[in-house]
Amino acid sequence: MRINFKNLTVQVLIAIVIGILIGQLFPAFGVQLKVLGDIFVKLIKMIIAPIVFFTIVIGFANMGDMKKIGRIGGKALIYFELVTTFAMAIGIAVMYIIKPGSGMDISNVGKNAADVAKYAKQAAETPHGFMDFVLSIIPDSAVGALAKGEMLPVLFFSVLFGLAMAGLGDKVKPVTVFFEKVNDIFFRLVGIIMRFSPFAAGGAMAYTIGKFGIGSLFSLGKMMGSVYITMFLFVVIVLGTIAKLYGFSIFNLLKFIKEEILLVLGTSSSESALPRLMQRLEKYGCSKSVVGLVVPTGYSFNLDGTSIYLSMAALFIAQAYGVELTWVQILTVLGILMLTSKGAAGVTGSGFITLAATLSAVPGNVIPIEGMALLLGVDRFMSEARAITNLIGNSVATVVIAKSEKQFGLAEPSVTPESGGFTASDSKLAGATEA
């Protein structure tokens, strides 16, 4: 079979392999290549806020029916909470079966005290109370929300703006048309930025291997294995079952978004694939309005991979220190995670900060926060696993909501190959509409 080196998937795969080799053979140089991944993530974050704003507003304006908007939003939030809670419960169950933290050597914990203190400080500076969470959703100004690019405030303003436009009906049709043209420009920009993605993936992987070494892939292997197994089971069994109930195949969907998955694998950031994922799900058959509402909201409220990791990491530290948690304490951890995990972006490090905030919020500090040092060396690798799971979880959620609303496969997608770099074969939906 002839390899098409112009294909983005092939380019990203080759870049990841080259990055691993550079990181292993020239670790100092590999660490310096981290800048390539940082540049790409910043480029993507530069356009996420306007894309989310225009997509939601256009979707609401075209949908028109206020009851329909409320119904889709309500369905999405209920789905997010149920699946996220189930994901955390699975993580806890696996931890009690495998018990990777039992018998862990904690003698070297003090060596990483400074790094743990950094994350703990960031967590302490981030308000995590319920009212703090509610207030953080409301931006100080609309322009400020878009300028900072914080997802929850952008979502809040976008939804309000979209509702206002939907309520005005045909009066704002010229504005809607203008926004659609501007949105096309931004998605064209996504196509341009994506050309840099192989360099970003290779640079990020070179940094990871150069910084932590191949050996770090095998240290704490039991914990890493537990996380990978749990996320694999969650995707295949839980999300696979949900997909089957709604008449599509999880494996066909994964095949359809394989380039986005590889991009997340390389950059360790689910945000890096957000704009392109929105295009792909429209191509898959979901309506623009459902994609525009569910995908951005899911990036704040449907972090399945992050939820699995946080619940498992908390129990891992408890097991390593020989702390026997009661069911009341376990349920307390779950409750705290339901709040602290909201809005945790898919960027490397955010999960670690959220973990610090969670452990600090557990009454009595029964789980030592310094135990986070045990996970520092391999957090990067588990970050990739949780970011990929987040991406897949949000993709499944979007298709489920689209199908439940009969907003799936009704019309030809509005996204053109030119706007996102798609190939001609994409237009066939890759046989993915039904199982």
Side-chain angles (χ1 to χ4, degrees):
M1 187 177 74
R2 190 174 181 179
I3 299 176
N4 180 12
F5 290 99
K6 293 183 179 181
N7 182 277
L8 184 64
T9 303
V10 174
Q11 292 176 356
V12 171
L13 274 173
I14 293 173
I16 289 174
V17 172
I18 294 174
I20 292 173
L21 292 174
I22 291 175
Q24 180 64 17
L25 299 175
F26 311 101
F29 179 60
V31 170
Q32 294 177 356
L33 293 181
K34 179 178 182 289
V35 67
L36 297 177
D38 292 341
I39 289 172
F40 180 75
V41 171
K42 289 199 72 173
L43 285 171
I44 290 294
K45 293 186 79 171
M46 173 182 72
I47 59 174
I48 282 179
I51 284 179
V52 168
F53 172 75
F54 286 120
T55 304
I56 290 179
V57 168
I58 292 168
F60 277 27
N62 290 333
M63 204 180 298
D65 187 348
M66 304 289 279
K67 290 183 179 179
K68 187 176 181 181
I69 294 171
R71 188 173 65 247
I72 292 175
K75 276 185 180 181
L77 290 176
I78 292 172
Y79 175 93
F80 294 160
E81 291 305 312
L82 288 175
V83 175
T84 300
T85 302
F86 201 74
M88 288 192 289
I90 291 176
I92 289 174
V94 170
M95 290 300 291
Y96 271 97
I97 292 172
I98 300 179
K99 296 184 177 179
S102 298
M104 184 77 187
D105 181 10
I106 60 174
S107 60
N108 292 323
V109 168
K111 293 182 179 179
N112 295 313
D115 291 325
V116 172
K118 177 186 69 174
Y119 287 111
K121 183 174 182 289
Q122 287 180 267
E125 292 172 351
T126 305
H128 285 285
F130 178 74
M131 290 310 300
D132 290 323
F133 171 71
V134 172
L135 289 174
S136 69
I137 295 175
I138 306 173
D140 294 328
S141 70
V143 175
L146 293 170
K148 292 180 180 178
E150 296 175 354
M151 189 61 70
L152 287 176
V154 170
L155 279 172
F156 181 80
F157 174 68
S158 301
V159 169
L160 285 184
F161 199 98
L163 288 172
M165 285 189 66
L168 290 172
D170 291 337
K171 292 181 180 179
V172 293
K173 189 66 177 176
V175 179
T176 304
V177 172
F178 172 72
F179 280 180
E180 287 174 342
K181 299 299 182 184
V182 175
N183 204 32
D184 286 342
I185 296 173
F186 273 103
F187 274 116
R188 176 60 179 168
L189 185 56
V190 171
I192 296 172
I193 293 174
M194 289 304 298
R195 295 175 185 174
F196 184 71
S197 61
F199 298 98
M205 189 59 71
Y207 163 77
T208 299
I209 301 301
K211 178 75 172 178
F212 303 109
I214 288 287
S216 61
L217 288 170
F218 303 102
S219 64
L220 297 176
K222 199 173 180 181
M223 174 59 180
M224 285 180 60
S226 299
V227 171
Y228 292 148
I229 289 170
T230 304
M231 293 187 182
F232 175 80
L233 292 175
F234 175 77
V235 170
V236 174
I237 297 177
V238 178
L239 296 183
T241 300
I242 293 173
K244 189 172 183 179
L245 290 173
Y246 281 87
F248 66 101
S249 168
I250 185 67
F251 297 107
N252 282 340
L253 177 60
L254 294 179
K255 182 180 178 181
F256 198 73
I257 60 171
K258 62 182 182 296
E259 290 184 0
E260 288 67 41
I261 292 174
L262 285 171
L263 179 60
V264 172
L265 174 65
T267 61
S268 194
S269 166
S270 56
E271 279 192 347
S272 64
L274 188 151
R276 186 177 168 90
L277 180 67
M278 295 173 74
Q279 291 178 311
R280 296 295 285 175
L281 290 174
E282 284 185 48
K283 209 73 172 166
Y284 190 74
C286 301
S287 69
K288 180 183 282 289
S289 56
V290 171
V291 171
L293 179 58
V294 177
V295 174
T297 308
Y299 266 68
S300 290
F301 289 92
N302 189 40
L303 302 175
D304 298 327
T306 302
S307 299
I308 289 172
Y309 169 75
L310 291 174
S311 61
M312 296 181 75
L315 285 187
F316 173 79
I317 295 171
Q319 289 174 358
Y321 278 82
V323 177
E324 291 289 338
L325 297 176
T326 66
W327 281 107
V328 173
Q329 290 172 325
I330 292 173
L331 291 175
T332 300
V333 171
L334 275 176
I336 294 171
L337 282 173
M338 290 300 293
L339 180 61
T340 56
S341 64
K342 300 303 182 235
V347 177
T348 303
S350 63
F352 225 54
I353 295 169
T354 304
L355 176 60
T358 302
L359 298 183
S360 300
V362 176
N365 294 320
V366 292
I367 305 177
I369 193 171
E370 59 269 20
M372 289 173 53
L374 297 170
L375 298 169
L376 280 173
V378 293
D379 179 71
R380 173 82 187 193
F381 301 105
M382 290 187 284
S383 172
E384 291 162 350
R386 61 182 181 253
I388 290 173
T389 306
N390 290 341
L391 178 88
I392 297 170
N394 283 318
S395 300
V396 171
T398 305
V399 179
V400 166
I401 300 301
K403 280 182 167 284
S404 70
E405 285 292 312
K406 295 181 172 54
Q407 293 290 311
F408 187 87
L410 297 180
E412 288 297 317
S414 59
V415 180
T416 61
E418 289 76 22
S419 68
F422 297 121
T423 61
S425 61
D426 291 339
S427 61
K428 300 176 183 177
L429 300 185
T433 55
E434 298 295 335

